[in-house]
Amino acid sequence: MFPPRCIACGDLVSTDFGLCAACWRDTPFATGLVCDKCGVPLPGEDEGRAEFCDDCLTLARPWKRGRAALVYNGAARRMVLAFKHGDRLDLLRPLAGWMNRAAAPILEPGMLVVPVPLHRLRLLKRRYNQSVLLAAALARAAALDHAPDLLLRTRATASQEGLHRDDRFANLAGAVRVNPRREAVLAGRAVLLVDDVMTSGATFAACADACLAAGAKNVSVLALARVAKDA
């Protein structure tokens, strides 16, 4: 009764939760040779060794490894915004599936999947934390533990949108901490931080610092989409 439609544009497709040919071409997946710290695509062929983008060579990243499913451009950007701000929760299944495939090289046995937190005021306005939904779906698919309340956003920071890189890091200074009631879950564990979009890495850095300070073994990061400079 209800034929499958493209999750990006609504045109008819052959399978549920799929993309039409035009939207598939307009969806930049972060595949091939990518930065081992943030997942942004790099020129060249993947020869099986870790390579890094200019930003990750310049900045001291507190996390171990990172990946992204998409480049934040084209149909990918439209889907991320629809999921984040447009109540398109039907997109969770395909988006989480793409993230699960992207995360495969950096997953570790016994890893703890942790979403980037929202401040309670922003959560009330948005009604859901998209990172929690993505992290929960990923944890189920990868058979890993999920700790949705491990991190707390202790103050309402200004939006990161439009801020320069240094301002992004300053904006989040001291804004994230580990929930004291969940510290025992974290101790000695490898952590996978999950967020929807990575731009400068300031949010991931604040969360990684908090996890490491509270006793995490190591931290890796996974974004649904990575902002690329040429995107």
Side-chain angles (χ1 to χ4, degrees):
M1 292 180 63
F2 301 99
R5 294 186 176 274
C6 172
I7 59 174
C9 73
D11 282 352
L12 292 174
V13 292
S14 58
T15 59
D16 289 327
F17 303 104
L19 292 166
C20 68
C23 288
W24 181 269
R25 290 191 298 269
D26 194 36
T27 302
F29 289 89
T31 56
L33 179 62
V34 298
C35 175
D36 200 53
K37 284 279 189 180
C38 72
V40 72
L42 298 173
E45 299 295 325
D46 187 354
E47 298 180 354
R49 63 174 182 268
E51 302 284 356
F52 305 99
C53 69
D54 291 343
D55 281 350
C56 291
L57 288 171
T58 303
L59 298 172
R61 303 292 200 190
W63 61 84
K64 180 182 176 184
R65 304 181 72 189
R67 289 294 186 274
L70 306 165
V71 176
Y72 191 62
N73 196 19
R77 182 177 183 273
R78 295 193 295 274
M79 285 187 285
V80 171
L81 291 175
F83 175 66
K84 185 173 182 175
H85 299 295
D87 292 334
R88 285 287 310 277
L89 299 185
D90 57 295
L91 292 171
L92 175 61
R93 177 173 168 178
L95 297 181
W98 296 337
M99 292 180 76
N100 187 35
R101 287 193 290 273
I106 65 173
L107 296 182
E108 300 179 25
M111 214 169 205
L112 184 65
V113 181
V114 177
V116 167
L118 282 179
H119 188 268
R120 63 183 182 277
L121 296 180
R122 188 163 295 174
L123 182 59
L124 284 171
K125 181 178 180 181
R126 193 175 294 170
R127 302 192 309 281
Y128 60 91
N129 182 348
Q130 68 281 354
S131 297
V132 170
L133 299 179
L134 292 169
L138 175 72
R140 286 193 299 270
L144 296 172
D145 291 338
H146 177 222
D149 59 345
L150 184 97
L151 293 175
L152 302 175
R153 188 76 73 116
T154 56
R155 59 182 175 84
T157 56
S159 172
Q160 296 281 78
E161 187 174 352
L163 296 180
H164 294 297
R165 186 180 69 184
D166 291 347
D167 294 330
R168 286 173 175 266
F169 282 88
N171 187 41
L172 285 165
V176 178
R177 67 179 177 89
V178 170
N179 186 339
R181 294 179 296 176
R182 302 291 280 162
E183 284 186 358
V185 177
L186 175 68
R189 300 282 294 272
V191 170
L192 180 67
L193 292 172
V194 174
D195 202 4
D196 54 354
V197 179
M198 175 182 174
T199 304
S200 66
T203 302
F204 274 142
C207 294
D209 283 338
C211 289
L212 293 169
K217 173 185 170 185
N218 62 61
V219 176
S220 294
V221 303
L222 175 66
L224 171 58
R226 174 71 163 103
V227 175
K229 289 181 178 179
D230 58 351

